[in-house]
DNA sequence: CCCGTTGCGG
C-alpha cells in the first residue's frame, strides 16, 4: 500500500524531469526504497528517459529489470517509436511475442505506428492479425493505426473498405481518412469525407480541419482554401503551429503568396517547417527572389535552415541562374548534412540550369550511391543543353548498372531527343521502351514524341501517333502538336489541334498565346480575335515574364519595358543601334509574337522592349568585350528575340547563353545550339 | 486509472 502512495507522489515529479540528472536522482531513490520492483513504476522511468531522448538509459533500466511485464515492454517499444527507432520498436514487439508476454491494445497500436513509419505493410498486417486474435476487433486506437498504415502504404482503397465496415468511428479515425485521402492525391474525396463526417453528427477539431487544408493545398482551388480558413476562424478551433503552417503551405501552394505571408506574419510561434512552407511555396511559384530573401530572414530570426529549406533555396537558384549563391548553398548543405541522392540531384539540376553543365557532370560522377533519380537528372541536363547524343550515351551507361530505367528515365531521354531533333533515335527508343522495358507509354512520353515529330515537320505522323493512344490525349500532346504546326504550318491538322487545345480550357496564358500565334501564322484573323477575347477573361495564370542576367556573379532582373532601371536610357540607345545593324544584315522583326492589336511600328517597338533584350543589352554594357553572357528567362524565349539574338552575337562577337523555361540556347556567330528547335 | 491512435514544409 505504501508503495502506491509513493508512486502517486513521485509520478508528477518524474514527469517534470527535464534532464538526465534529475531522473537519475528519482531512480536512485527508487532503488533505495525498493520501489524499482513495482512494475508500472518502471514503465514510467523508461518513459521519462525516453522523453528526454536518452534511449540508452531507458534501455539500461529495461534490461536490468528482474521481471518485465506488459507495461515495461510497452514503455520500451514506445521509447523506440518516439525517438525515431521504428526498426528497434518492431524488433522488440517480436521479441515480446516470442517470450510469451501478452501484448495489449497499446502494444499493437505502437507497433503498428512503427510499421507505418517503415511503410512495412506486411509486418503491419501480421500485427493486426494477432490483434484480431487477441480480441481487439473493435478497438478504435488499433483501427485508426491500421487505417493510417494502409493510407501511408498507398492502399487507400483498402483503408476505405475497412473504414466502411467499422461499426463505430471516432474523430481520430475520420481524421486519418481525411488526411489520408488528401495526401494520396484524392482531395475531392477528402472534402467529401469531411462532409460525410458532419452529416453523421461529428464535428471536426483543428487536426481534422488540417486534413481539409491539405486537400485544398493539392486541389489548387483559390476559393475553397480561404473558405476553409474562414470556417476555422468561425468555429474558433485551436490554431496551433501545425494548423497555421498548414494554412501557410496551402496559400503558398495555390500561388496566393500574399495571403500565405499574412498568415505567417501573424503566427505567434513559428517552426522551421513554417519557414520551409513559405520558402518552398515561393520557389515553386517562380518567386525565387522572395524565396531567397525568406531564407536570409529565417536565419536572422535565429532559425537554422534545415534540409527542406535549403533544397528549396537551391531550386530558387536554379530558376534564376544564380550560380554563385547556388554553389555556396550546395557547399553549406554538404557540410551540414550527409551527402545523399536528394541533395545531389537537386545540385545537379541547379548546376546544369545555371549553365555549369560540366560541374553537374563532375558532381554526378562523385555521387557514390546514385539512384535512378540522379541518373534522370543528369540525362535531362544533357537534354536541356541540346546534347542529345550525350544523353543517350549516359542512358546506355545506366542500362549497364543494376538500376532499371523507368518511365521518368525515358521521359528524360525522349525529351533530350526532342530538344536535339533526333527523330530516328526517338522512334527507336520509344518502341523499345514499350517492347523491351514493358513500360506503357504515358502522356508525357507521347508529348515528347509528338513534339519531336511535329517540329521535324512530320506533322501527319505526329497526328497519327496521337490517334493510336489508348488513353484520352490530354492538353500536353495537343499543345505539342500545335507548336509543331505553328512552326511548319499545316492547315488541317493545325486546325484540329487548336480546336482541341481550346476545348480543354487551359488556364495558362502562354498556351493561348500559342493558339493565337498559330492562327496569326495561317492568317485567320477572326480566330485570333476570338482567342484574345478569351485571354482577356480573368482567372487565368498571369506569370509576368522576366529575364535575369548574371554580371560578375550578381544578378540583375528585368521586366518588359523596365523603364525604372537607372541605365534605361543607355540600354535603349544600344538596342536602337543594334536594331539598325541587325536590319542591315537581314533581320526582319517577327511582329506576330506581339499579342495586341497595334500598329506594326508599335509592335516592333514592343519586341525590342522584351525583358530578354533588356537583359542582353545590360549585360553587353556592363561586361568586358568578349565575355560570355548568361541570361535566364522564366518563360519561353520569344521567337523574335531568338532571331534577334542570333544577329546580335554576330554583330558584337560574343557568346550569349539564354536559358528559358524549357532549355538552353547557346548563341554564337549568328547561330543557336537549338537549331531552332526551341 | 493510465497509456497508445490522427496533424506542418521537399
Amino acid at each position: 500500500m505504501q508503495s502506491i502512495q509513493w508512486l502517486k507522489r513521485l509520478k508528477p515529479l518524474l514527469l517534470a524531469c527535464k534532464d538526465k540528472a534529475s531522473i537519475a536522482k528519482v531512480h536512485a531513490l527508487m532503488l533505495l526504497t525498493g520501489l524499482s520492483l513495482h512494475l508500472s513504476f518502471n514503465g514510467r522511468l523508461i518513459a521519462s528517459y525516453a522523453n528526454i531522448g536518452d534511449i540508452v538509459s531507458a534501455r539500461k533500466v529495461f534490461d536490468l529489470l528482474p521481471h518485465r511485464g506488459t507495461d515495461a515492454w510497452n514503455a520500451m517499444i514506445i521509447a523506440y517509436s518516439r525517438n525515431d527507432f521504428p526498426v528497434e520498436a518492431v524488433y522488440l514487439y517480436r521479441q515480446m511475442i516470442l517470450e510469451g508476454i501478452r501484448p495489449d491494445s497499446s502494444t499493437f497500436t505502437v507497433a503498428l505506428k512503427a510499421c507505418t513509419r517503415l511503410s512495412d505493410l506486411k509486418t503491419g498486417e501480421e500485427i493486426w492479425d494477432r490483434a484480431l486474435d487477441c480480441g481487439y476487433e473493435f478497438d478504435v486506437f488499433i483501427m485508426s493505426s491500421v487505417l493510417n498504415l494502409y493510407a501511408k502504404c498507398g492502399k487507400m482503397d483498402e483503408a476505405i473498405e475497412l473504414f466502411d465496415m467499422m461499426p463505430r468511428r471516432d474523430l481520430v479515425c475520420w481524421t486519418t481518412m481525411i488526411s489520408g485521402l488528401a495526401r494520396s492525391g484524392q482531395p475531392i474525396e477528402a472534402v467529401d469525407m469531411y462532409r460525410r463526417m458532419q452529416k453523421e453528427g461529428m464535428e471536426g477539431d483543428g487536426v481534422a480541419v488540417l486534413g481539409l487544408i491539405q486537400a485544398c493545398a493539392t486541389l489548387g482551388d483559390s476559393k475553397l482554401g480561404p473558405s476553409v480558413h474562414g470556417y476555422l476562424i468561425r468555429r474558433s478551433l485551436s490554431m496551433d503551429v501545425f494548423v497555421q503552417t498548414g494554412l501557410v503551405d496551402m496559400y503558398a501552394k495555390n500561388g496566393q503568396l500574399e495571403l500565405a505571408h499574412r498568415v505567417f506574419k501573424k503566427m505567434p510561434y513559428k517552426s522551421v517547417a513554417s519557414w520551409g512552407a513559405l520558402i518552398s511555396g515561393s520557389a515553386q511559384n517562380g518567386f525565387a527572389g522572395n524565396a531567397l530573401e525568406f531564407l536570409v530572414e529565417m536565419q536572422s530570426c535565429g532559425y537554422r535552415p534545415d534540409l527542406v529549406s535549403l533544397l528549396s533555396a537551391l531550386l530558387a537558384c536554379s530558376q534564376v541562374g544564380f550560380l554563385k549563391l547556388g554553389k555556396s548553398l550546395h557547399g553549406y548543405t554538404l557540410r551540414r548534412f550527409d551527402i545523399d541522392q536528394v541533395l545531389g540531384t537537386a545540385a545537379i539540376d541547379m548546376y546544369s540550369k545555371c549553365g555549369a553543365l560540366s560541374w553537374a557532370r563532375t558532381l554526378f560522377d562523385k555521387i557514390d550511391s546514385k539512384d535512378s533519380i540522379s541518373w534522370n537528372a543528369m540525362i535531362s541536363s544533357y537534354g536541356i543543353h541540346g546534347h542529345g547524343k550525350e544523353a543517350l550515351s549516359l542512358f546506355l551507361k545506366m542500362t549497364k548498372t543494376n538500376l532499371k530505367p523507368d518511365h521518368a528515365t525515358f521521359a528524360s531521354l525522349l525529351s533530350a531527343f526532342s530538344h536535339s531533333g533526333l527523330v530516328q533515335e526517338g522512334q527507336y527508343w520509344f518502341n523499345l521502351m514499350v517492347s523491351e522495358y514493358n513500360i506503357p507509354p504515358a502522356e508525357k512520353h507521347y508529348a515528347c514524341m509528338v513534339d519531336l515529330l511535329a517540329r521535324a515537320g512530320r506533322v501527319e505522323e505526329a497526328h497519327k501517333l496521337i490517334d493510336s493512344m489508348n488513353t484520352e490525349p490530354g492538353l500536353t500532346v495537343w499543345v505539342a502538336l500545335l507548336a509543331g504546326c505553328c512552326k511548319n504550318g499545316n492547315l488541317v491538322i493545325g486546325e484540329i489541334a487548336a480546336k482541341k487545345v481550346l476545348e480543354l480550357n487551359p488556364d495558362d496564358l502562354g498556351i493561348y498565346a500559342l493558339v493565337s500565334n498559330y492562327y496569326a501564322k495561317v492568317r485567320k484573323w477572326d480566330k485570333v480575335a476570338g482567342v484574345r477575347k478569351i485571354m482577356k477573361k480573368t482567372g487565368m495564370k498571369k506569370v509576368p515574364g522576366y529575364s535575369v542576367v548574371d554580371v560578375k556573379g550578381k544578378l540583375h532582373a528585368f521586366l518588359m519595358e523596365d523603364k525604372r532601371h537607372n541605365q534605361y536610357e543607355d540600354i535603349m540607345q544600344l538596342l536602337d543601334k543594334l536594331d539598325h545593324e541587325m536590319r542591315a544584315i537581314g533581320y526582319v522583326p517577327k511582329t506576330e509574337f506581339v499579342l495586341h492589336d497595334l500598329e506594326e511600328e508599335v509592335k516592333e517597338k514592343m519586341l525590342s522592349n522584351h525583358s530578354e533584350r533588356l537583359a542582353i543589352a545590360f549585360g553587353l554594357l556592363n561586361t568586358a568585350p568578349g565575355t560570355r553572357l548568361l541570361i535566364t528567362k522564366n518563360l519561353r524565349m520569344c521567337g523574335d528575340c531568338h532571331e534577334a539574338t542570333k544577329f546580335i552575337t554576330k554583330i558584337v562577337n560574343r557568346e550569349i547563353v539564354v536559358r528559358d523555361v524549357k532549355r538552353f540556347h547557346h548563341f554564337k556567330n549568328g547561330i543557336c545550339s537549338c537549331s531552332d528547335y526551341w
Side-chain angles (χ1 to χ4, degrees):
Chain A
M1 273 324 277
Q2 212 189 2
S3 68
I4 299 286
Q5 271 166 10
W6 268 107
L7 180 67
K8 275 186 186 160
R9 207 175 300 173
L10 283 180
K11 181 187 157 187
L13 201 65
L14 210 43
L15 283 175
C17 287
K18 290 275 179 280
D19 58 281
K20 197 177 165 177
S22 41
I23 298 172
K25 220 180 267 175
V26 182
H27 192 180
L29 198 63
M30 282 166 61
L31 292 172
L32 278 174
T33 53
L35 274 171
S36 59
L37 294 175
H38 197 286
L39 293 177
S40 77
F41 203 82
N42 283 312
R44 281 199 198 290
L45 193 59
I46 293 170
S48 294
Y49 278 124
N51 276 345
I52 60 161
D54 188 352
I55 200 83
V56 178
S57 301
R59 182 68 201 225
K60 221 176 261 170
V61 175
F62 178 77
D63 283 339
L64 290 173
L65 291 180
H67 308 287
R68 289 190 282 254
T70 302
D71 274 4
W73 283 88
N74 282 354
M76 199 58 225
I77 296 173
I78 294 167
Y80 278 132
S81 181
R82 283 237 180 116
N83 287 285
D84 228 15
F85 293 106
V87 177
E88 287 77 0
V90 173
Y91 180 77
L92 209 63
Y93 161 82
R94 285 232 160 92
Q95 217 178 336
M96 180 179 178
I97 301 295
L98 283 176
E99 292 196 12
I101 313 292
R102 193 183 159 78
D104 64 5
S105 159
S106 177
T107 319
F108 292 123
T109 306
V110 180
L112 280 165
K113 191 190 169 106
C115 291
T116 308
R117 260 272 188 53
L118 298 166
S119 301
D120 187 349
L121 187 60
K122 219 174 136 259
T123 311
E125 282 180 326
E126 193 189 302
I127 293 168
W128 185 36
D129 275 343
R130 187 169 289 273
L132 292 178
D133 288 343
C134 294
Y136 289 111
E137 205 179 335
F138 301 116
D139 187 302
V140 279
F141 280 83
I142 293 175
M143 278 315 291
S144 49
S145 302
V146 173
L147 291 176
N148 195 35
L149 173 76
Y150 279 118
K152 291 269 162 69
C153 293
K155 305 274 179 198
M156 215 50 226
D157 291 343
E158 281 87 338
I160 291 168
E161 200 183 320
L162 203 60
F163 181 77
D164 286 337
M165 287 192 321
M166 290 172 67
R168 248 171 8 98
R169 311 174 183 105
D170 70 346
L171 184 56
V172 176
C173 290
W174 283 103
T175 306
T176 307
M177 293 305 289
I178 293 163
S179 56
L181 285 165
R183 270 184 320 208
S184 55
Q186 293 166 267
I188 296 169
E189 289 79 357
V191 176
D192 286 344
M193 188 62 83
Y194 192 90
R195 296 219 173 96
R196 196 177 134 197
M197 178 183 81
Q198 285 179 313
K199 232 182 252 165
E200 295 194 13
M202 184 94 64
E203 273 299 342
D205 61 355
V207 186
V209 180
L210 184 55
L212 262 186
I213 293 170
Q214 287 174 304
C216 294
T218 38
L219 208 53
D221 187 325
S222 54
K223 285 190 209 93
L224 191 61
S227 82
V228 171
H229 189 180
Y231 170 76
L232 204 61
I233 293 169
R234 273 202 308 284
R235 298 226 7 244
S236 55
L237 292 173
S238 72
M239 292 262 258
D240 60 8
V241 215
F242 284 72
V243 176
Q244 286 170 319
T245 303
L247 284 170
V248 172
D249 177 52
M250 176 192 78
Y251 283 129
K253 277 216 178 87
N254 288 347
Q256 297 165 297
L257 266 313
E258 330 75 47
L259 287 173
H261 199 211
R262 204 183 298 168
V263 175
F264 180 82
K265 273 193 292 193
K266 273 194 197 153
M267 287 175 73
Y269 169 78
K270 298 172 181 73
S271 69
V272 175
S274 323
W275 287 96
L278 200 60
I279 295 170
S280 77
S282 306
Q284 275 172 358
N285 280 289
F287 297 96
N290 299 46
L292 295 172
E293 277 166 24
F294 286 138
L295 185 80
V296 173
E297 201 184 325
M298 172 184 188
Q299 282 170 304
S300 65
C301 290
Y303 293 86
R304 201 156 179 243
D306 63 349
L307 192 58
V308 176
S309 313
L310 289 165
L311 286 175
S312 302
L314 269 183
L315 177 71
C317 289
S318 71
Q319 275 176 8
V320 289
F322 205 159
L323 181 59
K324 202 176 167 191
L325 182 62
K327 197 182 165 207
S328 69
L329 277 174
H330 177 217
Y332 173 74
T333 315
L334 266 182
R335 268 175 267 129
R336 273 199 39 207
F337 301 94
D338 289 334
I339 311 165
D340 73 337
Q341 307 105 317
V342 183
L343 171 61
T345 308
I348 288 172
D349 186 69
M350 184 274 296
Y351 285 125
S352 77
K353 285 195 178 144
C354 290
L357 183 61
S358 60
W359 289 6
R361 180 56 197 256
T362 309
L363 174 61
F364 174 79
D365 289 334
K366 266 196 212 154
I367 300 176
D368 290 325
S369 53
K370 289 188 267 282
D371 61 0
S372 62
I373 303 172
S374 327
W375 285 86
N376 296 351
M378 198 60 229
I379 293 169
S380 300
S381 297
Y382 282 124
I384 59 167
H385 280 268
H387 299 186
K389 291 264 162 70
E390 280 86 345
L392 178 59
S393 76
L394 197 67
F395 172 86
L396 292 172
K397 215 171 161 186
M398 180 184 178
T399 57
K400 292 194 185 89
T401 67
N402 49 15
L403 288 168
K404 269 210 168 89
D406 60 3
H407 61 102
T409 317
F410 276 101
S412 306
L413 183 67
L414 294 175
S415 115
F417 289 148
S418 90
H419 285 314
S420 300
L422 297 171
V423 182
Q424 279 193 348
E425 285 84 347
Q427 286 177 316
Y428 177 78
W429 286 101
F430 180 78
N431 291 331
L432 223 61
M433 172 181 91
V434 183
S435 60
E436 291 288 314
Y437 291 87
N438 294 319
I439 296 169
E443 171 98 11
K444 58 189 171 191
H445 303 116
Y446 280 112
C448 287
M449 290 309 291
V450 170
D451 183 70
L452 183 54
L453 289 167
R455 273 196 309 192
R458 295 156 76 164
V459 177
E460 281 92 4
E461 273 175 83
H463 188 219
K464 264 184 210 143
L465 185 67
I466 295 181
D467 277 340
S468 76
M469 285 172 69
N470 287 326
T471 50
E472 186 64 31
L475 188 61
T476 52
V477 288
W478 291 116
V479 167
L481 185 63
L482 183 61
C485 295
C486 213
K487 185 169 187 281
N488 298 303
N490 183 315
L491 280 175
V492 183
I493 295 175
E495 193 65 31
I496 297 170
K499 222 176 132 211
K500 285 281 185 188
V501 167
L502 290 180
E503 272 172 23
L504 290 165
N505 290 323
D507 63 350
D508 185 343
L509 271 178
I511 293 174
Y512 287 95
L514 174 71
V515 180
S516 168
N517 279 347
Y518 167 74
Y519 284 133
K521 169 127 187 162
V522 297
R523 312 194 159 273
K524 295 197 175 173
W525 305 112
D526 53 325
K527 298 266 178 122
V528 173
V531 175
R532 284 179 193 172
K533 222 174 186 176
I534 305 173
M535 288 171 83
K536 278 198 183 126
K537 274 194 277 180
T538 49
M540 241 175 271
K541 265 189 238 161
K542 281 190 196 111
V543 185
Y546 64 83
S547 299
V548 176
V549 60
D550 186 333
V551 174
K552 299 175 193 114
K554 243 188 116 183
L555 296 190
H556 300 263
F558 292 87
L559 291 164
M560 189 174 174
E561 294 181 77
D562 217 337
K563 293 192 176 114
R564 285 169 308 172
H565 197 277
N566 57 7
Q567 285 190 33
Y568 186 71
E569 289 301 319
D570 297 336
I571 290 170
M572 287 322 287
Q573 223 171 3
L574 177 61
L575 285 175
D576 253 8
K577 186 174 152 265
L578 285 171
D579 193 61
H580 280 107
E581 292 174 44
M582 275 152 57
R583 283 175 200 250
I585 53 172
Y587 164 72
V588 181
K590 296 184 169 185
T591 49
E592 70 260 30
F593 287 102
V594 177
L595 296 163
H596 304 276
D597 295 306
L598 297 163
E599 300 292 321
E600 278 302 297
E601 206 177 307
V602 182
K603 284 189 188 175
E604 288 174 17
K605 196 96 202 141
M606 287 185 81
L607 285 172
S608 59
N609 247 316
H610 276 169
S611 64
E612 48 266 59
R613 294 238 196 144
L614 302 180
I616 289 171
F618 179 82
L620 290 174
L621 283 171
N622 293 286
T623 52
T627 314
R628 195 179 84 148
L629 289 184
L630 178 65
I631 283 111
T632 310
K633 188 173 181 194
N634 67 331
L635 305 172
R636 279 284 289 279
M637 193 180 186
C638 151
D640 178 67
C641 292
H642 188 265
E643 206 52 33
T645 309
K646 288 199 248 173
F647 283 97
I648 292 173
T649 53
K650 224 178 194 172
I651 295 164
V652 300
N653 194 26
R654 287 240 209 167
E655 221 182 302
I656 298 178
V657 181
V658 179
R659 196 211 80 201
D660 70 6
V661 75
K662 282 208 115 154
R663 62 162 296 154
F664 269 87
H665 302 269
H666 293 259
F667 296 95
K668 203 177 172 183
N669 292 328
I671 49 172
C672 177
S673 64
C674 76
S675 320
D676 296 347
Y677 271 99
W678 56 279

